Amino acid sequence: MFDESVQVLARARRVLAQHVGVAVHRDRLPLTVTAWPVPGEPVPVAEALRAAAAGDFSPVAPGHPWGAPWSTWWFEITGEVPAAFAGEVVEVVVDLGFTGEGPG
């Protein structure tokens, strides 16, 4: 008997990516992301809010490096929920890009 597990898993991954995944999060809308790399180690939320009010947060785009491992960053993510979404469950899905090859 032939072992076709590799092909079966490849097909299952393709179906999940092409059909199931797109149905789970069917609508994608742009968000604005700004960030503040903390100068030093973790700070209280009140300090991060003061930094945001002072304009210390800068725009970041997908793929922007977050600095040294174990450094601290605060992010502000904003967007608009369309009126057509009324009564729906709305989620923000964030891919942090962890690959398992380094610290997270």
Side-chain angles (χ1 to χ4, degrees):
M1 178 165 240
F2 295 106
D3 180 5
E4 296 184 14
S5 59
V6 173
Q7 291 87 353
V8 170
L9 285 173
R11 288 181 189 135
R13 286 187 184 105
R14 181 176 45 81
V15 168
L16 282 171
Q18 293 178 348
H19 302 285
V20 177
V22 296
V24 171
H25 303 290
R26 65 181 188 269
D27 295 310
R28 295 169 189 252
L29 302 171
L31 297 172
T32 301
V33 181
T34 58
W36 177 52
V38 176
E41 276 311 301
V43 298
V45 67
E47 187 173 339
L49 292 172
R50 279 192 297 276
D56 294 338
F57 281 55
S58 301
V60 293
H64 182 88
W66 293 12
W70 307 115
S71 62
T72 301
W73 286 56
W74 281 86
F75 291 91
E76 180 179 56
I77 301 171
T78 58
E80 186 173 325
V81 178
F85 286 21
E88 297 286 330
V89 174
V90 178
E91 300 176 331
V92 173
V93 178
V94 178
D95 179 358
L96 299 177
F98 295 136
T99 62
E101 297 175 7

